[in-house]
Amino acid sequence: MKKRIFFQVIVIMMILFIWNCLHLGYNYQNRLYEAELSDSPMILICSDLKPLQNLKTALDTTSIVQYTVLEKDSLIKRNLLETYQLNNAEALLGKFNVPSILKIYFRGVEFSAPQKRELETFLNTSYPEVIINYNDTFWQNSLEKIALLKKAYFYSNLFLAVFLLITIVFLRLHFEMKNHEYWRVFVRAGGKRKVRHLRFFLHSLWLCVVPVGLNFGAYFIAMRQHYLPVEMDIRYFPAEGIFVIFSVILSRIFIGKHF
Amino acid sequence: MLRIEHFALTPGKIRVMVIEEMQIANGKKVLVFGDNQVGKTFFLQAVHGSHSQYAGTIQYKGKSNFFKKKEASILIENTAHVIPGETLWKNVTIPFGKISKRQKIKIFELLKSVDLSEKIGQKQQSLSVSETKLAELVRAVIQLPHLILIDDLDTYFDEKNYLKAMNILQYAVSNGTIVLATAKRKLELFDDYYREQDKKVVKL
């Protein structure tokens, strides 16, 4: 009987491990996509510095913007001279009016379609002189990838929850039915009926506590040893425990009168 | 004290196996004997609490619902209640959660008294019917229940094994257990005898 419980603990632990890997994998990939999105700035070009300075002040306080970088015309000129080694052309370049630029770095997915539309409308109406340069295709693709990832994450969670539920119910039913003859003889031989109920409760307790506990322990050690590139919300662990308890209760209901 | 009054099995409207009064004191062995199909098995099941189609009262120490606690009585039926794939020792100790050293010694002594001590490691399926029944008796006796009910006692044993069985039962009887058995014929070594005659059970 101990072997059977051990087997059930291992199976549930493995499924929970896969489930936790899914959370970690999602967090990792999502962070990657968001970082890509944040790394691609919107560039506002204007020959006059004043509107860009005003814009910087206004945008720095909004939630969609991570940070902004204002590059003045003098800085751009110097960059040009250094990059292309145009030391001899310094006097010539001084005669030209080089525009200033404002780079806006967004906070990943928070800069979604409505926010983008709102910002573009605001810029076009309030600052018509500002030229907007932004890689719309990349932004669109990134948002689609993130949306797809979320969808895949949701369905994977659903699948794993159903799979875990079916597995626990099936395992509990299977092993209880397999032990049915033993318990029949046990009662006929003078054994107390409540022993079976007590044993079922104790085994259920093992199934609810040990796999979740071991998974949490493994996660805790991995975090402490810096093996994981991302963290996961530790509230997932009690949630998984509650789900296992629910599955065990369901299996007890299914066993019902056969007990 | 087991007290049975105005008892009758009632399969439908017919009353069979009528017992006007039966009183069995603690530590007594009682045999009810009679032909086949007179209701002896149902009678034992009624006392055990697993058969409810009867009239009258069955009381133990003045309580009529004593058998709701199934462990108060152990019924040894024709069908052997053992796990064939398990060893003799496992089958004998199955009702015990944790078994004390004293109980282990006693079980071993009882098994030794019926020449089964050398077979404790053998699978139950390799033992004969009489050996299985002796093992069931040992298992019942060691728990010292209020009642041990044995159906068709004369079916399983030859004279030699019958004496062994009665010897085992003596251990429980000397500790106050009531033994109530049924058989087709009168057997020796019981304290009281009841005979089924024309659907009525009378004391001899």
Side-chain angles (χ1 to χ4, degrees), chain A residues 98-111:
Chain A
V98 178
S100 300
I101 61 169
L102 178 68
K103 287 181 183 172
I104 307 167
Y105 292 87
F106 297 101
R107 280 182 206 279
V109 283
E110 285 181 35
F111 185 57

Side-chain angles (χ1 to χ4, degrees), chain B residues 90-204:
Chain B
K90 176 72 184 171
N91 272 295
V92 171
T93 57
I94 204 169
F96 300 97
K98 280 181 182 174
I99 191 160
S100 67
K101 198 177 175 182
R102 200 174 160 186
Q103 279 174 321
K104 270 184 192 173
I105 294 167
K106 194 66 214 171
I107 293 169
F108 193 77
E109 270 177 22
L110 289 169
L111 287 173
K112 197 174 180 181
S113 71
V114 290
D115 302 325
L116 283 174
S117 60
E118 288 174 7
K119 295 184 176 180
I120 54 172
Q122 282 187 26
K123 299 270 180 189
Q124 192 68 52
Q125 61 205 10
S126 67
L127 302 179
S128 69
V129 174
S130 63
E131 283 173 329
T132 302
K133 280 293 156 192
L134 284 170
E136 277 193 283
L137 279 178
V138 171
R139 186 173 67 189
V141 158
I142 200 71
Q143 295 174 73
L144 297 175
H146 298 314
L147 285 170
I148 295 178
L149 309 162
I150 310 164
D151 195 18
D152 282 338
L153 183 60
D154 53 343
T155 312
Y156 324 113
F157 308 117
D158 56 18
E159 275 182 28
K160 194 180 158 191
N161 279 335
Y162 175 71
L163 289 173
K164 285 181 188 173
M166 294 309 282
N167 187 36
I168 295 170
L169 287 172
Q170 195 53 43
Y171 168 70
V173 168
S174 61
N175 281 286
T177 299
I178 295 170
V179 173
L180 179 57
T182 62
K184 283 187 280 296
R185 58 187 171 84
K186 192 177 176 186
L187 301 169
E188 290 175 352
L189 302 172
F190 278 87
D191 300 313
D192 291 317
Y193 293 90
Y194 287 81
R195 179 177 184 153
E196 193 280 333
Q197 212 166 15
D198 298 330
K199 295 178 184 175
K200 281 190 176 178
V201 176
V202 289
K203 191 174 181 181
L204 296 183

Side-chain angles (χ1 to χ4, degrees), chain A residues 18-187:
Chain A
I18 293 166
W19 205 352
N20 291 327
C21 285
L22 176 77
H23 297 319
L24 287 168
Y26 168 75
N27 285 354
Y28 181 75
Q29 195 58 42
N30 194 42
R31 205 175 72 171
L32 218 61
Y33 285 153
E34 286 200 18
E36 276 178 13
L37 203 57
S38 302
D39 288 345
S40 171
M42 178 184 268
I43 299 168
L44 304 181
I45 306 163
C46 187
S47 54
D48 195 3
L49 181 64
K50 189 73 181 164
L52 293 182
Q53 280 174 331
N54 291 343
L55 265 171
K56 180 175 167 55
T57 315
L59 290 172
D60 275 342
T61 54
T62 58
S63 60
I64 57 167
V65 175
Q66 201 173 4
Y67 63 97
T68 55
V69 179
L70 181 62
E71 291 183 7
K72 294 175 185 172
D73 54 350
S74 55
L75 179 71
I76 293 169
K77 278 178 192 171
R78 198 164 57 245
N79 284 345
L80 278 170
L81 293 170
E82 281 172 11
T83 311
Y84 300 104
Q85 295 174 342
L86 301 170
N87 296 338
N88 298 334
E90 192 174 354
L92 181 69
L93 203 61
K95 291 176 187 172
F96 290 99
N97 189 16
V98 178
S100 300
I101 61 169
L102 178 68
K103 287 181 183 172
I104 307 167
Y105 292 87
F106 297 101
R107 280 182 206 279
V109 283
E110 285 181 35
F111 185 57
S112 56
Q115 280 79 23
K116 184 171 179 283
R117 255 198 315 275
E118 200 180 328
L119 179 67
E120 283 172 344
T121 312
F122 168 70
L123 291 172
N124 289 332
T125 51
S126 306
Y127 300 91
E129 68 276 27
V130 171
I131 299 163
I132 304 168
N133 187 347
Y134 190 54
N135 190 344
D136 286 317
T137 317
F138 174 78
W139 170 80
Q140 186 69 36
N141 285 343
S142 295
L143 281 190
E144 277 173 10
K145 279 196 282 187
I146 289 170
L148 192 69
L149 182 72
K150 268 190 179 158
K151 212 172 181 178
Y153 178 61
F154 171 76
Y155 284 114
S156 304
N157 271 311
L158 198 69
F159 170 76
L160 276 170
V162 172
F163 181 66
L164 183 63
L165 179 87
I166 291 171
T167 306
I168 291 175
V169 170
F170 171 75
L171 284 175
R172 297 302 281 146
L173 281 175
H174 173 73
F175 286 115
E176 277 306 313
M177 289 298 120
K178 212 166 173 148
N179 279 338
H180 195 62
E181 181 60 16
Y182 170 86
W183 289 113
R184 198 183 62 78
V185 173
F186 175 84
V187 171

Side-chain angles (χ1 to χ4, degrees), chain B residues 63-100:
Chain B
K63 290 179 183 173
S64 56
N65 61 347
F66 75 96
F67 49 69
K68 282 188 178 172
K69 282 186 173 181
K70 292 252 166 97
E71 56 265 32
S73 63
I74 293 173
L75 173 62
I76 298 171
E77 292 172 293
N78 262 324
T79 316
H81 293 296
V82 289
I83 303 168
E86 292 289 355
T87 60
L88 170 65
W89 181 259
K90 176 72 184 171
N91 272 295
V92 171
T93 57
I94 204 169
F96 300 97
K98 280 181 182 174
I99 191 160
S100 67

Side-chain angles (χ1 to χ4, degrees), chain A residues 214-229:
Chain A
L214 287 175
N215 266 284
F216 178 71
Y219 171 74
F220 185 74
I221 291 167
M223 281 308 295
R224 285 288 292 267
Q225 300 296 323
H226 306 291
Y227 289 144
L228 297 175

